[in-house]
Structure formats: structure tokens, C-alpha cells
Amino acid sequence: MKRLGTLTLALAAVSMLTTTALAQRGRDGELNILYWQAVSNLNPYLSGGTKDIEAASLVLEPLAHYDEDGNMVPILAAEIPTVENGGVSEDLTTITWTLKEGIVWSDGSPLTAADVEFSATYCLDPDAGCNALSNFTDVVSVEAVDDLTVVITFGVSKPFPYGPFVGATNPIIQKAQFDSCLGAAAQACTEENFGPIGTGPFAVTDFRANDVVIFEANENYREADKPAFARVVFKGGGDAVSAARAVLETGEVDYAWNLQVEPEILSQMMAGGQGTVVTAFGPLVERLMVNLTNDDPGLGTLRSEYDGGNNPHPFLSDLAVRRALSLAIDRQILVDVGYGASGQPTCNVLPAPAIYISTANDECLTQNIELANQILDEAGWERGRDGVRAKDGVRLSILYQTSTNSVRQGTQALIKQTWEEIGVETELRNIDAAVFFGGDPASPDTYGKFYADIEMYANTFNGTDPENYMANWGCNEVSGEANQWIGNNIPRFCDPAYDTLIAQMGQTASLEERAALAKQMNDILMQNYIMIPLIHRGDVSAHANSLAGVRMNSWDSELWNIADWHRSN
């Protein structure tokens, strides 16, 4: 019996050692991630590209994230402030965040409320061109009252005070690192923007723009047994099809993002048994953005500039043209050919959550070539001998651009064909995704510059409340030289009545009333055809069968819980 007891104790000791070894940080070696739209910047404040924001989320963290169900979960904060726990004032004008104790940056220095205050100062600087500015709507001050406490004050009662520092788009950056990068200096801080110091599970060790980023486990991360991976190779380039193949067929990659791949191709790949496709529906919409300004290259520095409303587009400023373009499109065919079960036609830029869905714009769900032609006839756009319509010497000739992707090029071809049926000439252009969605102010090919008539892409927003998202089309968000072309208002739409609704929603507490305001803003954008929505898309990615812990998230960064990812047994 004594011998058996000794053996039992020995086995227990081995088991304990094994468990301890398995709990060590970096125990699972290397993780390979492929975002076929390559990363060009690791500072979310200076890039609107999802691929940049999500790559940065390995390093930079907000006070709170949204989980896969759209619920806020504290990350750097000790808890989510509410009126009930005293974190939000009774008059809804202040929110007080308390940081978790003991969190340090990857360089070992302590995270303090001064870093939170600085992050606000950085974004709110009028010369910075901050991409997350709409998250700070109505913010009057952000003040560190002690090392762990920061108070955000709004100029109005704010029923939803969770804009600043919730979600991957506006994380906390280190004051010590970015202190000399305020305002106009922000874009020039290459070392800081490519290699931010963070509190997240990984730290940047090598950054090659539009190619690959190497991360290593943050030795100062607050949970001793996380992350499970010692190294992340974050590769960019290629296309969505090759990215899917790398996970589902060849097993070369552990995780591939944004698999905008024809459904039949994806189904064939899944038969390989190497990986799993994960899908989640949030508010992602594939849409056509309409340039309301003149994109003539001969205008020089005024090309695609709003210029106080004095630079209208020569034909897209005509509502009749914009409506006809929308009516001519067969959205169901676009879904059937390019998306299958991961897409559905939509006439709204705000397609979710359900309480915000408008039914006032459903005209677009049915293709109507006859009506589109009638509208253009009545508006005086007459067909020439070549079949292209013109008026007062202006031809309906569109340059239509998007990122390089087989599904998007297929969508372009189908739309071009239908537009020809209504007398609109269309030139197609596709641009490498890393460039198109990049934030380089020197590049003429970014979606923010919008040197075209129509451009197509999809984007979304953090969380389930659309207040900050709908604020993207306020006058102060117009993209242009003044904000280094990273303003969120890509069409250059400016309407004081719309701005009034933004302000009103910011002061409205009732969920039903907030929903009504959001629908009203959506309807203004839709019925004026400021953009032309096409498809409500599901987020589609894939991971290796050996990768566990992935919780697909449409409400925040897909990589929001990467600290919990690990190899399955």
C-alpha cells in the first residue's frame, strides 16, 4: 500500500508539473494569421482600414471591448461604469472610468489615467486628422483625477456615454511614446505608428508595411499564462481565395480573415477538412459610395474637395442620376453570385440590430430598369449615338473603383452591365487592398482620397449602438486635405439638418426614440442616395481545426480575445 501511495504521489507530481508547463505563456509556439488586405499602419487613430485596426488590437487595448453578443466587457477598466454603480452621473454628463490595478505597458512602465487623458488629447487635436473623432462627440474634457481614475465630461446629457475608449477603433496609447506626435506631427511619427507600445497580449518586433508584422508575446502581460502563443506572424497580401485555401486546404495558416469568396468555391475548400469557416452577422454593408464633389484631375488641390459646397460633381450632384443608378442594380443576383448564405440584399446602410432597421427604402430591392430610364429621360439626360446619355455637354461616364478581390470584380462587372442598359458608361478600376484601405496621405489611390466617381467597399461599427456610426456623415467628418483624408464622411455630404439629428440622438435616452432618430438619419442618406447599399454581409473567416478559443465577433475586432486562443489537444 505504501508503494502504491508513493507511486500515486509521484504521478500526481508529474501531473502537476505538466499542468504548470501547459499554463506557461508562449507554450503553443507560433500562430500564423493571414489578412489578405495587408497592414499598413498600427495606429488605429490614423487609419480607417479594418485590417489596420484589427492588427493593432493585438497590442493596443481600449477600456472595454464588445463581446460576440455585443455586450461591453471591461478590459483595462475594472468595471463598466453605469448610473447604478455610480460611474455615470445622474445627469448623464460625466462618466468615470477606474483602471484595473497593476497593468503595465509592454516596456514595464505603469499604465495610468494620464495615458487615457493623453489619448483623448491626441485624437481631439484639430490638426491630427483623427479617424476616431466621432467617438468623442460632445466630449468637453477628459481628466485624470488620480493614477487610476479618469473622468470624461460631456457638454450635454449623454444617455450613451460609451463612445470614447470602447472598442478597437479608439484604444489607449502611451503618453510617453506619443507625446511628441500631437497634431500635425502625428502622421510623421513613423516609428511610433508602426511600433506602438501597448498593454495587450503581444508586442511588435518587426513591421513591414503592406507585407508582414511580427509580434511576440508581451512578457509583461497581466495574465501570467497568456497568451498561449509565443509569436504571431501576421502576413498580408494575396487575395481572399488564396487566404481561404491556406487554412481550409493546405493548412499553412491558422486564421484567415474576410473570406469574400464565391460560395461554391468556399464549399469545395471546406471539404478538405483542414479548417472551420466561422460566420457572424453584424451591421456590415457592402455599398457604393457616391462622390458628391468634382473629381476632375485638372482641379489640382481642389480635386474631390468639398470646398464649402462650391465644388459639386458634374452629374452625381443630380438626385435623378443617383436614384437611377440604384434602381438599375439587381442586388439578388449580386448575392447569389458572390455571397450565397453569407449575404442578403439591403437598401439601408444601417441593417442591424433589428430595432434600427428601416423599411422606408425598400424600392431598391426590386431591379427596375424601365423606371431608371424614365427618371433619366425626364431629367433631360438624352442618349447619344453611342448609347451614352449626356446633358449640357456632360456625359454620364463613371469611374468606378474598389479593392482587388474576385467577388468585388464580379460585382463591378454585373453593375457595369446593368448601368449600360440605362445609358451610363462605366470604367472599372481595382486597387490593391493594402493601398486602397491604407492611410498614406501621399497616395492618390486611397478610398479616403476618392479620386473616382463611385467606389465600393464595406465597413461596420463597434458595439450595437449606432450613434457614433451615424455621426460619420456629419459635416465635421468630411474627408479632405484638412484631415489628411481620413475623415469618415467619404461622399463629402454636408447637411445642417442631419447634423441636428446627430446632436439630438446624443441627448436622447429612450431606446425607442434613439431608434427612430437612427432610422431618420439612415433614411436621409438613403433617399438622397448619398451612398447606395448593396448587400448586408456576414463576416466570414476561417481557422485551423487545431486552433481553439476563437469567438467570432461582428461588433468589435475579430481578434478581440486573441489572448485566449490556444492549440487544441
Side-chain angles (χ1 to χ4, degrees), residues 397-445:
S397 182
I398 286 175
L399 174 59
Y400 168 17
Q401 68 181 20
T402 189
S403 63
T404 305
N405 169 271
S406 62
V407 171
R408 283 191 167 139
Q409 270 67 83
T411 298
Q412 279 185 305
L414 288 168
I415 290 177
K416 176 180 179 177
Q417 181 179 337
T418 62
W419 283 351
E420 286 175 350
E421 295 181 49
I422 63 170
V424 177
E425 181 180 59
T426 308
E427 177 187 349
L428 304 180
R429 182 179 185 224
N430 66 84
I431 302 167
D432 182 85
V435 176
F436 187 65
F437 294 112
D440 183 0
S443 172
D445 296 324

XYZ file of all heavy atoms in Angstrom, residues 397-445:
377
model
N -20.490 59.328 -67.599
C -19.350 58.424 -67.720
C -18.697 58.298 -66.346
O -18.161 59.274 -65.810
C -18.348 58.968 -68.738
O -17.260 58.095 -68.899
N -18.746 57.096 -65.776
C -18.361 56.867 -64.382
C -17.061 56.088 -64.286
O -16.870 55.078 -64.979
C -19.478 56.091 -63.655
C -20.675 57.019 -63.373
C -18.997 55.454 -62.354
C -21.868 56.312 -62.769
N -16.162 56.554 -63.420
C -15.019 55.755 -62.996
C -15.408 55.107 -61.672
O -15.669 55.789 -60.682
C -13.772 56.626 -62.812
C -12.535 55.911 -62.218
C -12.112 54.734 -63.087
C -11.379 56.880 -62.029
N -15.465 53.793 -61.651
C -15.979 53.004 -60.531
C -14.840 52.144 -59.995
O -14.365 51.246 -60.669
C -17.160 52.181 -61.055
C -17.726 51.074 -60.222
C -17.491 50.919 -58.856
C -18.579 50.144 -60.833
C -18.064 49.886 -58.139
C -19.170 49.109 -60.119
C -18.899 48.977 -58.772
O -19.471 47.948 -58.072
N -14.404 52.435 -58.777
C -13.226 51.761 -58.235
C -13.560 50.979 -56.959
O -14.523 51.271 -56.250
C -12.107 52.767 -57.941
C -12.384 53.733 -56.803
C -11.232 54.715 -56.594
O -10.400 54.940 -57.479
N -11.171 55.307 -55.406
N -12.712 49.993 -56.693
C -12.809 49.217 -55.459
C -11.489 48.506 -55.244
O -10.538 48.690 -56.010
C -13.975 48.214 -55.530
O -14.166 47.623 -54.244
C -13.723 47.112 -56.550
N -11.414 47.701 -54.190
C -10.193 46.941 -53.919
C -10.152 45.686 -54.789
O -11.176 45.206 -55.285
C -10.117 46.557 -52.443
O -11.199 45.711 -52.101
N -8.957 45.151 -54.977
C -8.768 43.960 -55.796
C -9.253 42.725 -55.049
O -8.734 42.372 -53.991
C -7.288 43.789 -56.176
O -6.830 44.983 -56.822
C -7.094 42.599 -57.089
N -10.282 42.088 -55.598
C -10.892 40.914 -54.983
C -11.838 40.310 -56.005
O -12.601 41.036 -56.654
C -11.646 41.331 -53.716
C -12.534 40.243 -53.161
O -13.689 40.153 -53.553
N -12.015 39.440 -52.279
N -11.829 39.002 -56.173
C -12.604 38.389 -57.250
C -14.104 38.633 -57.104
O -14.801 38.855 -58.106
C -12.323 36.884 -57.310
O -12.722 36.236 -56.117
N -14.614 38.599 -55.882
C -16.044 38.861 -55.689
C -16.365 40.301 -56.050
O -17.362 40.588 -56.723
C -16.472 38.551 -54.244
C -17.909 39.030 -53.980
C -16.367 37.050 -53.969
N -15.515 41.227 -55.614
C -15.772 42.636 -55.923
C -15.647 42.912 -57.413
O -16.420 43.697 -57.970
C -14.833 43.529 -55.106
C -15.281 43.649 -53.658
C -14.567 44.711 -52.876
N -15.278 44.940 -51.618
C -14.688 45.135 -50.453
N -13.366 45.153 -50.373
N -15.409 45.336 -49.370
N -14.701 42.271 -58.070
C -14.596 42.484 -59.510
C -15.806 41.877 -60.231
O -16.299 42.421 -61.224
C -13.292 41.890 -60.059
C -12.136 42.871 -60.047
C -11.674 43.250 -58.628
O -10.909 42.529 -58.017
N -12.138 44.382 -58.112
N -16.319 40.753 -59.712
C -17.537 40.189 -60.276
C -18.731 41.113 -60.085
O -19.550 41.293 -60.991
N -18.815 41.727 -58.900
C -19.887 42.690 -58.630
C -19.777 43.892 -59.562
O -20.780 44.357 -60.121
C -19.830 43.150 -57.160
O -20.035 42.020 -56.300
C -20.881 44.204 -56.863
N -18.556 44.388 -59.726
C -18.342 45.518 -60.637
C -18.842 45.197 -62.047
O -19.517 46.018 -62.686
C -16.854 45.865 -60.707
C -16.319 46.710 -59.569
C -14.871 47.088 -59.813
O -14.009 46.238 -60.034
N -14.590 48.380 -59.772
N -18.487 44.016 -62.534
C -18.854 43.641 -63.912
C -20.371 43.581 -64.077
O -20.919 44.040 -65.091
C -18.223 42.297 -64.269
N -21.057 43.024 -63.082
C -22.515 42.925 -63.161
C -23.177 44.299 -63.113
O -24.137 44.581 -63.843
C -23.036 42.045 -62.018
C -22.741 40.543 -62.143
C -23.054 39.836 -60.827
C -23.536 39.928 -63.285
N -22.667 45.175 -62.259
C -23.241 46.517 -62.156
C -22.960 47.324 -63.423
O -23.832 48.046 -63.923
C -22.709 47.233 -60.899
C -23.294 46.567 -59.642
C -23.059 48.720 -60.925
C -22.783 47.139 -58.341
N -21.750 47.192 -63.957
C -21.428 47.884 -65.210
C -22.413 47.494 -66.302
O -22.916 48.340 -67.058
C -20.006 47.556 -65.644
C -19.634 48.157 -66.998
C -18.207 47.807 -67.402
C -17.885 48.410 -68.769
N -16.480 48.158 -69.180
N -22.726 46.202 -66.378
C -23.646 45.709 -67.406
C -25.034 46.328 -67.256
O -25.657 46.747 -68.237
C -23.735 44.187 -67.307
C -24.636 43.546 -68.344
C -24.664 42.033 -68.210
O -23.744 41.429 -67.667
N -25.731 41.423 -68.707
N -25.523 46.405 -66.023
C -26.857 46.983 -65.827
C -26.856 48.491 -66.056
O -27.852 49.045 -66.557
C -27.395 46.674 -64.417
O -26.539 47.252 -63.427
C -27.485 45.183 -64.177
N -25.774 49.163 -65.718
C -25.716 50.601 -65.956
C -25.664 50.921 -67.454
O -26.170 51.960 -67.881
C -24.520 51.210 -65.219
C -24.775 51.367 -63.734
C -25.954 51.199 -63.084
C -23.820 51.755 -62.742
N -25.798 51.447 -61.730
C -24.508 51.783 -61.500
C -22.462 52.050 -62.769
C -23.870 52.119 -60.299
C -21.825 52.377 -61.578
C -22.525 52.417 -60.361
N -25.065 50.044 -68.233
C -25.073 50.246 -69.683
C -26.501 50.246 -70.222
O -26.823 50.949 -71.185
C -24.254 49.149 -70.365
C -22.743 49.309 -70.194
C -21.965 48.140 -70.773
O -22.599 47.129 -71.142
O -20.715 48.236 -70.838
N -27.395 49.463 -69.575
C -28.785 49.381 -70.023
C -29.539 50.688 -69.799
O -30.595 50.901 -70.417
C -29.504 48.238 -69.299
C -28.972 46.854 -69.630
C -29.740 45.761 -68.904
O -30.988 45.790 -68.952
O -29.099 44.891 -68.286
N -29.005 51.552 -68.944
C -29.676 52.844 -68.732
C -28.849 53.998 -69.306
O -29.090 55.164 -68.991
C -29.994 53.082 -67.241
C -28.705 53.150 -66.403
C -30.931 52.021 -66.712
C -28.938 53.616 -64.969
N -27.858 53.665 -70.153
C -27.104 54.708 -70.848
C -25.982 55.331 -70.051
O -25.600 56.482 -70.305
N -25.424 54.571 -69.106
C -24.306 55.078 -68.296
C -23.037 54.317 -68.665
O -22.976 53.082 -68.549
C -24.592 54.928 -66.791
C -23.390 55.395 -65.967
C -25.839 55.728 -66.407
N -22.053 55.050 -69.127
C -20.746 54.472 -69.463
C -19.957 54.265 -68.172
O -19.933 55.135 -67.296
C -19.998 55.423 -70.392
C -18.635 54.927 -70.832
C -17.967 55.935 -71.753
O -17.764 57.097 -71.317
O -17.672 55.581 -72.905
N -19.302 53.096 -68.031
C -18.617 52.789 -66.779
C -17.233 52.221 -67.047
O -17.072 51.242 -67.774
C -19.421 51.769 -65.948
O -20.769 52.226 -65.802
C -18.801 51.598 -64.569
N -16.243 52.845 -66.430
C -14.868 52.329 -66.448
C -14.582 51.722 -65.083
O -14.824 52.347 -64.043
C -13.876 53.454 -66.735
C -12.413 53.006 -66.694
C -11.433 54.168 -66.811
O -11.869 55.291 -67.125
O -10.228 53.939 -66.556
N -14.078 50.494 -65.089
C -13.796 49.791 -63.840
C -12.328 49.890 -63.462
O -11.451 49.806 -64.329
C -14.202 48.321 -63.960
C -15.663 48.036 -64.348
C -15.907 46.535 -64.413
C -16.625 48.703 -63.378
N -12.092 50.047 -62.191
C -10.715 50.125 -61.688
C -10.650 49.369 -60.373
O -11.537 49.505 -59.528
C -10.313 51.578 -61.471
C -8.888 51.794 -61.000
C -8.611 53.279 -60.845
N -7.225 53.527 -60.517
C -6.819 54.377 -59.586
N -7.703 55.065 -58.884
N -5.538 54.566 -59.356
N -9.610 48.552 -60.201
C -9.399 47.923 -58.893
C -7.991 48.211 -58.407
O -7.039 48.299 -59.192
C -9.707 46.421 -58.934
C -8.763 45.630 -59.801
O -7.690 45.233 -59.366
N -9.174 45.359 -61.051
N -7.873 48.394 -57.099
C -6.635 48.831 -56.460
C -6.269 47.834 -55.374
O -7.152 47.343 -54.651
C -6.826 50.237 -55.834
C -7.257 51.241 -56.909
C -5.557 50.711 -55.136
C -7.776 52.553 -56.342
N -5.003 47.529 -55.243
C -4.539 46.634 -54.183
C -5.119 47.075 -52.842
O -5.073 48.242 -52.479
C -3.020 46.631 -54.119
C -2.496 45.683 -53.054
O -2.352 44.490 -53.334
O -2.262 46.152 -51.930
N -5.686 46.123 -52.105
C -6.413 46.451 -50.876
C -5.543 47.165 -49.852
O -6.021 48.047 -49.126
C -6.998 45.183 -50.272
N -4.272 46.785 -49.759
C -3.393 47.421 -48.775
C -3.229 48.904 -49.067
O -3.084 49.718 -48.144
C -2.030 46.734 -48.770
N -3.278 49.261 -50.332
C -3.162 50.667 -50.725
C -4.515 51.369 -50.602
O -4.621 52.449 -50.031
C -2.638 50.776 -52.176
C -2.605 52.229 -52.628
C -1.251 50.147 -52.286
N -5.554 50.728 -51.130
C -6.897 51.314 -51.140
C -7.368 51.651 -49.722
O -7.914 52.729 -49.464
C -7.863 50.336 -51.805
C -9.254 50.869 -52.028
C -9.482 51.930 -52.896
C -10.343 50.283 -51.402
C -10.766 52.414 -53.123
C -11.636 50.757 -51.623
C -11.851 51.819 -52.482
N -7.147 50.730 -48.790
C -7.583 50.935 -47.414
C -6.470 51.482 -46.522
O -6.610 51.512 -45.301
C -8.122 49.632 -46.826
C -9.385 49.161 -47.487
C -9.391 48.014 -48.258
C -10.562 49.872 -47.355
C -10.553 47.570 -48.883
C -11.729 49.448 -47.971
C -11.724 48.287 -48.735
N -5.363 51.891 -47.113
C -4.264 52.460 -46.343
C -4.535 53.916 -45.981
O -5.466 54.543 -46.465
N -3.697 54.445 -45.118
C -3.888 55.815 -44.661
C -2.796 56.761 -45.127
O -2.632 57.842 -44.545
N -2.049 56.363 -46.154
C -0.943 57.199 -46.631
C -1.485 58.455 -47.300
O -2.099 58.384 -48.368
C -0.095 56.401 -47.620
C 1.126 57.179 -48.118
O 1.306 58.336 -47.683
O 1.881 56.621 -48.931
N -1.269 59.628 -46.700
C -1.819 60.854 -47.289
C -1.168 61.235 -48.611
O -1.700 62.081 -49.342
C -1.549 61.913 -46.210
C -0.402 61.375 -45.422
C -0.546 59.884 -45.436
N -0.044 60.616 -48.941
C 0.633 60.923 -50.208
C 0.089 60.085 -51.363
O 0.338 60.394 -52.527
C 2.136 60.691 -50.070
N -0.659 59.026 -51.045
C -1.148 58.137 -52.100
C -2.412 58.695 -52.744
O -3.336 59.125 -52.051
C -1.448 56.748 -51.524
O -2.098 55.944 -52.498
N -2.502 58.654 -54.074
C -3.735 59.103 -54.751
C -4.803 58.018 -54.804
O -5.905 58.264 -55.285
C -3.239 59.427 -56.155
C -2.125 58.456 -56.373
C -1.443 58.286 -55.038
N -4.486 56.814 -54.301
C -5.350 55.659 -54.519
C -6.114 55.198 -53.286
O -6.707 54.110 -53.296
C -4.512 54.490 -55.062
C -3.913 54.795 -56.426
O -4.588 55.470 -57.215
O -2.778 54.361 -56.691
